[in-house]
Amino acid sequence: FDVAEVNSTPWTKINSQLGSNEYDEDGEEWEDEDAGWKKTPVSIQVPFSHMTETPGPRMYQAANLYHHSLMAILREKLANEQDNKLSHYELYQLCWNPSHLNAEVAIHGDLYTSPAFHEAHTDLQNSPGEPNCDLPQVVASLMFWSDATQLTSFGNAKLWPTYMYFSNESKYHHCKPLCNLSNHVTYFETVRFLSILLYCLSNITLLASRLI
């Protein structure tokens, strides 16, 4: 063992090669436009005091939003004959008729049996249809869910996806992972709060120097 030989070894390059794989050259999936993902910069207004060099609100690009087209997902969903077998588009009610009551009790277990869905369906049927189109008019009801996802057992690497579900499908199918009824529609970036803070502090420092 010779220490001099070890000192000249490019450990950083070796670690990079060991941690790489064949998919790294193509980048992440949500950066691929061919996969349907779009990138939109998100800007926020940061206010500054009237005593600063340039007072008033200033735009700051906080992060990038990677997202899918909801209409594209909707068209793909409605064109899927297999998924349509599990979807509910016609109105019906689920009721309970207990012996100790004089009236039926509506049971609300899925969104497509709710009063809001019934009202939306009725309004749609009473509205004028598309010109030269005799296809049925139906309501496609959407539900969204978002939560941070930890990527590793050690460390703080995470993603913050948004999932979209079609509530025309039963909740009993939604809870089955093998049905694959969840759609990834958005990936949020964690806001670089430190960068925004430093940006604001630089202007506060300029203000303090003027006051002194």
Side-chain angles (χ1 to χ4, degrees), residues 19 23-24 35 52 69 87 98 100-101 107 112-113 124 127-128 135 152 159 161 177 193 195 197 208:
Y23 303 106
D24 286 346
T52 59
S69 168
S87 300
H100 62 283
L101 296 178
I107 299 176
Y112 51 79
T113 63
L124 179 61
S127 64
L135 296 175
T152 59
L159 284 175
F193 178 74
S195 299
L197 181 61

Side-chain angles (χ1 to χ4, degrees), residues 96-106:
W96 176 45
N97 192 6
S99 58
H100 62 283
L101 296 178
N102 297 325
E104 293 182 338
V105 178

